[in-house]
Amino acid sequence: MSPLLVPQWMVFLVVAQSSADAEAASAPNKIEQLQEFVMSNPVMGWVMAGFIVLILALIFLSKGTDAFDKLVGFVKKYLFKKREITAEDRQRLRQQLIEAELRQVVTRLENSLHHKVRLDLKREEQRQRVGRRELPPVQLSSSSDPFIRREFNPFETPSPPEPVGADQPTHQLLARDDINGRLLILGEPGAGKTNELLALAKELLQQAQQSTEKPIPIIFELSEWSGDRQKTLSDWLSEQLQNKYDVPPAVTTYWMNENQLFPLLDGLDELRRVDDVEHATSEEMDRQRQAKQIRCMRNINTFLDVHSSTSMVVCCRRKEYEALEAQDASFRCLNGAIYLQALDDEQIQTYCHHSNRAPLWDALKHQPPLLELARSPLFLLMVMVAYQGQPIESTDDLLNLYIEKQLGDLNNQGAYPPGKAPSPETTHHYLSWLAVKLEEQDVTEFLIERLQPTWIESQKERSMYRLLVGLSGGLIGGLIGGLSVGLSVGLIFGLIGGLDEFESDIRTKEMTNQGIWLSLRSGLLGGLLGGLLGGLIFGLIGGLSVGLSVGLSVGLSVGLSVGLLGGLSVGLLLGLKGGLETALQHSSLRFTLHRFGHAPWNYARFLDHAAHHRFIQRVGGRYRFTHDLLRKRFAQRYQARR
């Protein structure tokens, strides 16, 4: 309770009592009348308090029902006027969103494996893949663009060699009148589709910074599309922007209607998650996955039909797209398509020469399977880093070799103090377990605060987690047992706190485990404020009720006691509802996963350790494997500990 508020109320009561004593001989004043009324009705104060508790209990019981939703809607409509989103708000959000997305794009580019190999790709225009399907392939002309070149840099070379070759930048192709901002990017695994999309996004974001007439380019991961038949692509885009950047849906809707949003959709081929597959055969699962991809394609076509002036770019692997074409599905509303071609012998030979690895070309010439792998920029980098004359026959062989090379390289340390880093075996186990869970969830990004109890594997682990949650909840419940009034007041404060006005700021995950830290801070702050307010309210109700009945001194004593208990009750309960409960559950889950050997206790430090090995890249508080092929290979190599 505030040391300033209590004396003020005490002074008020003392002055009021003194005034009443001094004027006892005169005509009864209002205070005396109130005193006489309360003394003649000693339970009136408790009746009033009980009435308040009853109202709040009704609110609690209706929570989660239509009645509660109607109550909240009524309060929002008539008691809390929300400020309208102005044009200035939208402009401020636009600039903040562009800056936030640009930071993420640049970070991903700098940490990408493809960016370490600066090698220009030849691209073939394949407009017959999309809307204008009757046109023949056209070889793109060349022009220099310093950003999309890729040079070899095996992680320790400070100055890259001279770039090899040149190619027309994609943003120039996109601006052509016949393509008009709608493009499909196709390629083989590891060919650089995502990197090409990132390079394009960087250029477009810089253009949007300079001109408000340019739309806002945002990269969306199609692997996270749920496939909900009741949800349109517009709904999904709005949901994604709200989850990632806290953009209000009304603002996203406005941008889409005004053609100010430029979706860059990555990974149609990664849209693989299907439900009810426990008893399905692999053929049935493939059919369901393909059906989901076709539904997504149709949603995209419908979106572009409705928003006829909106630009869009979609990335997909060639093989998966051709399988969709065989089902008579295509992006009929896109205007152009490019195919990222494999590296030819001349490119690889010149690249090896510029990288001072001329003997490698001789080895590649005599190993046709390895040479075919090296035609992908991603695999060429891995060959440069890991190949020491070992026989390599397949993609899995190369990925395994790269993983083992990076795990055993002592130069890939630094996140832990000397001698404290996890062993290569433990590092591999933690990463492979994480890769499996990301595969199960069909997500590419990992946020520590999004660890879920569903990731727990065995009954023994679930029992420990429930025990930990129960103990923490029971401990707090024991402290506040019997103080049910505090629950109601806590809920009403939570209700009011949830009716905040529009905030015109973009929020990004810049800090590791940011969500849990915010929940903890919110819970502590809510508990402190709830305790102060609850203590004041209960103290006043109890003190006035008793003080006016039996005397000021007894009333003050009762008021302090009731205020202390009420403040503790409200503070603890409001703290739990405000975020402490989430933090306790997260800590219990983290302890359980660590106890059974699935994950490190300090996840942030471990992920930085994995980033030193070039397995993980960090963007703010978000983490992802440096390439989906690497993530899939880690998942395939997972072995449960016994």
Side-chain angles (χ1 to χ4, degrees):
M1 187 176 295
S2 170
L4 296 177
L5 290 176
V6 174
Q8 290 177 356
W9 284 103
M10 287 184 178
V11 169
F12 169 76
L13 292 175
V14 171
V15 171
Q17 184 68 34
S18 299
S19 299
D21 293 341
E23 299 178 5
S26 62
N29 56 27
K30 293 181 179 180
I31 294 179
E32 286 181 328
Q33 293 174 8
L34 177 62
Q35 223 174 7
E36 290 177 2
F37 175 77
V38 174
M39 290 179 67
S40 62
N41 300 273
V43 296
M44 182 58 65
W46 298 111
V47 171
M48 293 174 62
F51 179 75
I52 294 173
V53 171
L54 177 62
I55 296 298
L56 295 175
L58 290 175
I59 295 175
F60 169 67
L61 293 175
S62 66
K63 188 172 184 181
T65 66
D66 292 339
F68 183 79
D69 294 336
K70 291 178 181 178
L71 176 62
V72 172
F74 176 84
V75 173
K76 285 184 177 181
K77 182 176 181 180
Y78 295 102
L79 299 183
F80 292 87
K81 286 189 176 181
K82 297 187 70 174
R83 182 172 64 83
E84 293 293 331
I85 301 174
T86 65
E88 290 75 13
D89 292 328
R90 289 192 293 267
Q91 182 60 29
R92 180 165 51 254
L93 285 171
R94 170 191 167 90
Q95 294 302 323
Q96 292 176 352
L97 180 59
I98 290 172
E99 292 172 2
E101 182 75 359
L102 183 58
R103 285 195 302 270
Q104 298 217 21
V105 165
V106 170
T107 301
R108 287 184 61 185
L109 273 171
E110 291 175 347
N111 294 335
S112 106
L113 290 178
H114 281 287
H115 197 58
K116 306 301 179 183
V117 178
R118 184 157 282 204
L119 187 66
D120 294 309
L121 300 177
K122 294 180 180 180
R123 292 169 294 170
E124 182 181 75
E125 187 174 355
Q126 298 183 345
R127 292 166 62 187
Q128 77 279 6
R129 297 286 192 181
V130 289
R132 302 177 65 180
R133 300 168 63 89
E134 74 283 358
L135 297 177
V138 177
Q139 187 72 33
L140 294 179
S141 59
S142 296
S143 133
S144 62
D145 174 44
F147 183 75
I148 64 169
R149 299 178 194 144
R150 303 178 175 93
E151 79 265 6
F152 172 66
N153 184 346
F155 311 139
E156 68 271 358
T157 305
S159 57
E162 292 292 325
V164 181
D167 208 353
Q168 181 181 10
T170 306
H171 69 87
Q172 291 183 8
L173 176 69
L174 191 68
R176 262 178 22 197
D177 291 341
D178 58 334
I179 293 181
N180 196 27
R182 295 185 172 185
L183 184 68
L184 172 66
I185 299 178
L186 297 172
E188 307 300 327
K193 300 179 296 297
T194 297
N195 207 66
E196 199 73 18
L197 192 68
L198 289 168
L200 175 62
K202 180 176 182 288
E203 175 64 32
L204 295 175
L205 285 163
Q206 291 173 337
Q207 293 179 11
Q209 276 185 322
Q210 299 168 5
S211 173
T212 57
E213 296 181 358
K214 299 290 186 180
I216 310 168
I218 301 293
I219 295 178
F220 297 91
E221 305 286 349
L222 283 177
S223 61
E224 299 184 12
W225 188 69
S226 64
D228 187 347
R229 297 176 186 270
Q230 305 302 319
K231 185 180 296 183
T232 66
L233 185 69
S234 298
D235 296 333
W236 182 75
L237 295 176
S238 179
E239 181 183 89
Q240 290 290 302
L241 279 180
Q242 185 177 28
N243 292 339
K244 187 174 182 180
Y245 290 120
D246 206 22
V247 178
V251 174
T252 302
T253 300
Y254 176 86
W255 285 340
M256 287 189 288
N257 291 338
E258 297 297 321
N259 301 313
Q260 294 183 16
L261 191 66
F262 190 161
L264 307 175
L265 308 181
D266 191 21
L268 178 65
D269 51 279
E270 294 296 328
L271 186 56
R272 306 286 291 170
R273 184 178 181 181
V274 293
D275 299 321
D276 302 325
V277 297
E278 184 177 353
H279 303 293
T281 65
S282 59
E283 292 79 9
E284 291 172 340
M285 291 174 61
D286 286 339
R287 284 196 295 269
Q288 291 184 47
R289 287 165 176 161
Q290 191 175 80
K292 186 175 181 181
Q293 291 170 344
I294 292 175
R295 287 201 305 273
C296 181
M297 180 180 287
R298 289 173 178 169
N299 267 267
I300 292 172
N301 285 330
T302 301
F303 175 87
L304 293 176
D305 279 336
V306 174
H307 303 278
S308 57
S309 298
T310 295
S311 299
M312 180 178 287
V313 177
V314 184
C315 285
C316 185
R317 291 180 184 173
R318 175 194 57 82
K319 182 179 179 180
E320 280 76 1
Y321 190 76
E322 289 180 348
L324 296 175
E325 286 183 310
Q327 300 296 321
D328 198 27
S330 68
F331 287 116
R332 56 177 174 77
C333 291
L334 297 182
N335 301 324
I338 58 173
Y339 172 68
L340 304 182
Q341 294 180 322
L343 302 175
D344 57 31
D345 288 357
E346 182 181 357
Q347 286 177 298
I348 297 174
Q349 182 179 7
T350 305
Y351 178 74
C352 291
H353 174 74
H354 279 270
S355 304
N356 298 320
R357 295 291 300 275
L360 179 61
W361 169 244
D362 295 331
L364 291 174
K365 287 190 301 183
H366 294 90
Q367 296 189 51
L370 184 58
L371 179 59
E372 287 304 309
L373 289 174
R375 298 193 188 283
S376 158
L378 173 68
F379 295 149
L380 180 57
L381 168 67
M382 292 183 174
V383 170
M384 286 283 187
V385 170
Y387 180 70
Q388 298 293 331
Q390 307 94 323
I392 299 176
E393 300 291 336
S394 66
T395 300
D396 288 348
D397 289 345
L398 180 57
L399 290 169
N400 290 340
L401 183 63
Y402 177 80
I403 291 172
E404 298 302 329
K405 169 65 171 57
Q406 293 299 95
L407 284 173
D409 193 338
L410 296 179
N411 294 321
N412 299 331
Q413 305 295 329
Y416 288 90
K420 300 296 183 180
S423 67
E425 294 76 17
T426 300
T427 299
H428 181 278
H429 177 74
Y430 288 160
L431 287 173
S432 59
W433 180 85
L434 177 61
V436 168
K437 296 305 175 183
L438 294 178
E439 285 274 295
E440 292 175 354
Q441 299 297 315
D442 267 341
V443 295
T444 55
E445 286 189 332
F446 172 61
L447 284 84
I448 297 176
E449 60 261 39
R450 289 188 184 173
L451 283 167
Q452 298 296 322
T454 55
W455 290 23
I456 294 176
E457 298 179 347
S458 68
Q459 182 60 44
K460 189 174 182 181
E461 295 169 23
R462 285 190 286 271
S463 298
M464 171 173 279
Y465 171 71
R466 291 168 182 165
L467 176 63
L468 292 173
V469 173
L471 286 175
S472 58
L475 176 62
I476 295 179
L479 294 175
I480 59 177
L483 301 176
S484 60
V485 177
L487 176 61
S488 300
V489 177
L491 285 174
I492 197 65
F493 279 129
L495 173 62
I496 295 174
L499 301 177
D500 49 358
E501 293 186 348
F502 163 70
E503 296 181 2
S504 56
D505 285 309
I506 294 296
R507 297 179 183 176
T508 59
K509 299 286 187 180
E510 299 294 343
M511 184 177 69
T512 301
N513 211 17
Q514 182 172 320
I516 296 301
W517 286 111
L518 289 177
S519 295
L520 182 60
R521 186 180 70 177
S522 175
L524 292 174
L525 180 60
L528 176 61
L529 295 178
L532 292 174
L533 293 174
L536 177 61
I537 292 172
F538 280 99
L540 287 175
I541 292 176
L544 286 174
S545 299
V546 177
L548 294 176
S549 301
V550 298
L552 179 61
S553 59
V554 177
L556 288 175
S557 176
V558 172
L560 289 173
S561 301
V562 173
L564 177 62
L565 294 175
L568 177 62
S569 172
V570 174
L572 288 174
L573 284 166
L574 187 56
L576 285 173
K577 295 298 179 183
L580 289 179
E581 184 177 19
T582 300
L584 288 172
Q585 291 175 349
H586 179 77
S587 299
S588 299
L589 178 60
R590 291 273 296 275
F591 181 86
T592 302
L593 294 176
H594 177 63
R595 173 66 179 80
F596 284 89
H598 301 308
W601 174 247
N602 189 334
Y603 228 138
R605 173 168 284 184
F606 171 76
L607 291 172
D608 287 341
H609 174 68
H612 278 75
H613 288 76
R614 297 304 192 276
F615 296 140
I616 292 287
Q617 60 177 199
R618 174 181 175 179
V619 181
R622 301 173 181 272
Y623 298 88
R624 62 170 64 219
F625 281 84
T626 51
H627 198 278
D628 285 339
L629 291 173
L630 193 62
R631 170 173 56 84
K632 291 179 182 297
R633 189 58 193 149
F634 266 108
Q636 292 167 355
R637 289 164 58 105
Y638 174 68
Q639 293 182 350
R641 288 182 171 177
R642 299 184 182 278

